Amino acid sequence: MVNLESFCYNHLMKKDTREALLDSAFNTFYKHGFQGANIATILNDVGINKGSMYHFFKSKKALGLAVIEERIERNLVNKYAPIKSVEELFDVLCSAPKTLSYGCPLNKMSQEMIYIDTDFQKLLSTTYGKFETLVQIILERDGVENSELKAKQIIATYEGALMIYHLNRQEEEFVQVLRELEQNIFKVVD
Amino acid sequence: MVNLESFCYNHLMKKDTREALLDSAFNTFYKHGFQGANIATILNDVGINKGSMYHFFKSKKALGLAVIEERIERNLVNKYAPIKSVEELFDVLCSAPKTLSYGCPLNKMSQEMIYIDTDFQKLLSTTYGKFETLVQIILERDGVENSELKAKQIIATYEGALMIYHLNRQEEEFVQVLRELEQNIFKVVD
DNA sequence: TTTTCACTTGACTAAAAGGTCAAGGAAGGA
DNA sequence: TCCTTCCTTGACCTTTTAGTCAAGTGAAAA
């Protein structure tokens, strides 16, 4: 018995065209920025034609918004939801230089788009809120007080340090700044 | 006696065309990003023609690099060089939401360009280094120990918090995160 | 007065970009 | 077997964009 879906004419399983499009668009936007990205590049990468993309997304903008909702946000949840302790959180944060080749996707997209398009602004703002909540939950589960402010502190330092890392490529500095924060926040003043 | 320079045919003092171009380019790149920015917009804003711009800058890229060197960097020096104490430093940092309409120009340009063009990358990296030095000097003059790490901490938190501010537009949160850092860094553990 | 140089004009080019569309293929239900 | 729906093709359109260039202007030096 043959899986019919695997015999699609463009060697892609039908339902996967949209997904492949989102994957490639995410990568392309991540590296080149939304405005700098070229639709032809994405299409070429996926191996499909224009009309096929415009069947799923009515415009480049729609594709961009979908990338935020279905990739950037999903990646954040996949990464932060399973974290069980503050210690583990900082370990994950410290690993960012190894996994995030071009900086923080959310930060990058935000810097570029929030003052250019209000739909992007709204969606990015919402997505950031979810990120903050994910971090806050980790802190609260570990009994940390004042979790909202501390979540903001952690994310702010992380985002800024990651930017500096991408300018200097000094991983040690990046880790040092985060570890310092970890100690400062959770040090007990006797 | 009339100032001859003020009788230029395009109602601009000659020497000022380049400067006006840099001003407008800075603003346009700041809001729209380098790639998203449109040269025609800048020319229209300044009130000159293409050839005039290409007389001073051989390409859009050259204009972009000049904006970094002659505006972004200059603004940083103008802003941070006169600061005389750590206290004053934090006051200036806290005022960012009032002065930086579209985020940190250096951060924004960096996020967009460092992985797209190595000339931008080098220049932005150098410029960031100068920023860090400016902050470090303030700390050292105030007798703060471990000034290099602390400068990085301050800048990282500031940059990240500023990004969050631009997503949420909650100025209080922004100030709170920075004030918290100020206390944490300089609190004496008895 | 003449020459020179820095700067400006504005039309032009070529390429790239996002987006459209009519036609066609595959699969599945009737 | 036929019809409908979903998806794909690839050529085409339109607009935008960075960049070019020959010709011209005015100020200042010679």
Side-chain angles (χ1 to χ4, degrees):
Chain A
M1 205 56 170
V2 179
N3 177 4
L4 286 173
E5 283 195 287
S6 67
F7 273 77
C8 248
Y9 39 97
N10 77 337
H11 69 270
L12 224 50
M13 288 183 288
K14 262 186 189 164
K15 283 279 175 194
D16 281 354
T17 299
R18 212 188 98 101
E19 295 298 302
L21 220 27
L22 286 171
D23 286 337
S24 176
F26 170 80
N27 289 325
T28 310
F29 294 159
Y30 183 30
K31 176 160 186 190
H32 296 93
F34 176 75
Q35 297 178 107
N38 188 324
I39 288 186
T41 305
I42 297 170
L43 297 173
N44 192 51
D45 181 39
V46 177
I48 59 170
N49 290 31
K50 278 230 170 121
S52 193
M53 182 207 119
Y54 281 94
H55 173 74
F56 292 105
F57 305 98
K58 78 166 201 283
S59 61
K60 186 187 183 188
K61 172 174 167 176
L63 179 59
L65 295 173
V67 163
I68 298 171
E69 278 190 300
E70 302 181 40
R71 285 295 176 277
I72 295 183
E73 193 175 312
R74 191 194 65 180
N75 290 351
L76 285 172
V77 173
N78 287 346
K79 189 169 182 180
Y80 291 96
I83 294 176
K84 297 211 167 58
S85 67
V86 173
E87 202 186 331
E88 197 187 336
L89 170 64
F90 274 90
D91 288 347
V92 169
L93 293 175
C94 285
S95 74
K98 294 187 170 63
T99 54
L100 299 178
S101 318
Y102 307 115
C104 170
L106 177 60
N107 190 343
K108 200 165 169 174
M109 188 70 113
S110 298
Q111 299 264 5
E112 183 184 0
M113 299 303 295
I114 52 176
Y115 286 106
I116 289 178
D117 186 293
T118 57
D119 293 316
F120 275 88
Q121 187 271 321
K122 283 177 204 154
L123 189 51
L124 289 163
S125 179
T126 304
T127 304
Y128 169 75
K130 290 179 182 172
F131 181 22
E132 199 179 284
T133 302
L134 284 166
V135 172
Q136 215 179 321
I137 287 169
I138 297 167
L139 299 180
E140 280 172 6
R141 199 159 40 188
D142 242 16
V144 174
E145 281 172 21
N146 212 351
S147 64
E148 195 185 331
L149 176 62
K150 284 190 174 140
K152 277 186 220 299
Q153 272 187 279
I154 291 169
I155 294 174
T157 309
Y158 165 73
E159 294 291 352
L162 193 56
M163 179 210 85
I164 296 170
Y165 166 74
H166 279 94
L167 278 170
N168 289 345
R169 300 248 135 210
Q170 303 289 330
E171 195 177 338
E172 277 180 34
E173 290 179 0
F174 172 78
V175 172
Q176 214 181 346
V177 168
L178 282 182
R179 291 302 178 191
E180 195 72 20
L181 172 71
E182 191 180 7
Q183 284 178 26
N184 272 331
I185 284 191
F186 303 106
K187 85 178 157 197
V188 182
V189 184
D190 299 306
Chain B
M1 207 54 172
V2 179
N3 178 3
L4 286 173
E5 283 194 286
S6 67
F7 271 78
C8 246
Y9 38 99
N10 77 336
H11 69 269
L12 222 52
M13 287 183 288
K14 260 186 189 165
K15 283 281 175 193
D16 280 353
T17 299
R18 212 189 99 100
E19 295 299 302
L21 219 28
L22 286 172
D23 285 337
S24 176
F26 170 79
N27 289 327
T28 311
F29 294 160
Y30 183 31
K31 176 160 187 190
H32 295 94
F34 176 76
Q35 297 177 106
N38 188 325
I39 288 186
T41 306
I42 298 170
L43 297 173
N44 191 52
D45 181 38
V46 177
I48 58 171
N49 290 36
K50 279 238 167 110
S52 193
M53 183 207 118
Y54 280 94
H55 172 75
F56 292 104
F57 304 99
K58 79 166 201 281
S59 62
K60 186 187 184 189
K61 173 173 165 175
L63 179 59
L65 294 173
V67 163
I68 298 172
E69 278 190 299
E70 303 181 40
R71 285 295 178 275
I72 295 184
E73 194 174 311
R74 191 194 65 179
N75 291 350
L76 284 172
V77 173
N78 286 346
K79 190 170 181 179
Y80 291 96
I83 294 176
K84 297 209 167 58
S85 69
V86 173
E87 202 186 331
E88 196 187 337
L89 171 62
F90 274 90
D91 288 346
V92 169
L93 293 175
C94 285
S95 74
K98 295 187 169 63
T99 54
L100 300 177
S101 319
Y102 308 115
C104 169
L106 178 60
N107 190 343
K108 199 164 171 175
M109 188 70 113
S110 299
Q111 298 265 4
E112 182 184 1
M113 299 304 295
I114 52 175
Y115 286 106
I116 288 179
D117 186 294
T118 56
D119 293 316
F120 275 87
Q121 187 272 320
K122 283 178 205 155
L123 189 52
L124 289 162
S125 178
T126 303
T127 304
Y128 168 76
K130 291 179 182 170
F131 181 22
E132 201 180 283
T133 301
L134 284 165
V135 172
Q136 216 179 320
I137 286 170
I138 297 167
L139 299 180
E140 281 171 7
R141 199 159 37 186
D142 240 16
V144 174
E145 281 172 23
N146 213 350
S147 64
E148 196 185 332
L149 176 62
K150 285 191 172 138
K152 276 185 219 303
Q153 272 188 278
I154 292 169
I155 295 174
T157 309
Y158 165 73
E159 294 290 352
L162 193 56
M163 177 209 86
I164 297 170
Y165 165 74
H166 278 94
L167 279 170
N168 289 346
R169 300 247 135 210
Q170 303 289 331
E171 194 176 340
E172 277 181 33
E173 291 179 0
F174 172 78
V175 172
Q176 215 183 344
V177 168
L178 282 183
R179 292 301 179 192
E180 194 72 20
L181 172 71
E182 190 179 9
Q183 284 176 25
N184 271 331
I185 283 193
F186 302 107
K187 88 178 157 198
V188 182
V189 183
D190 301 306

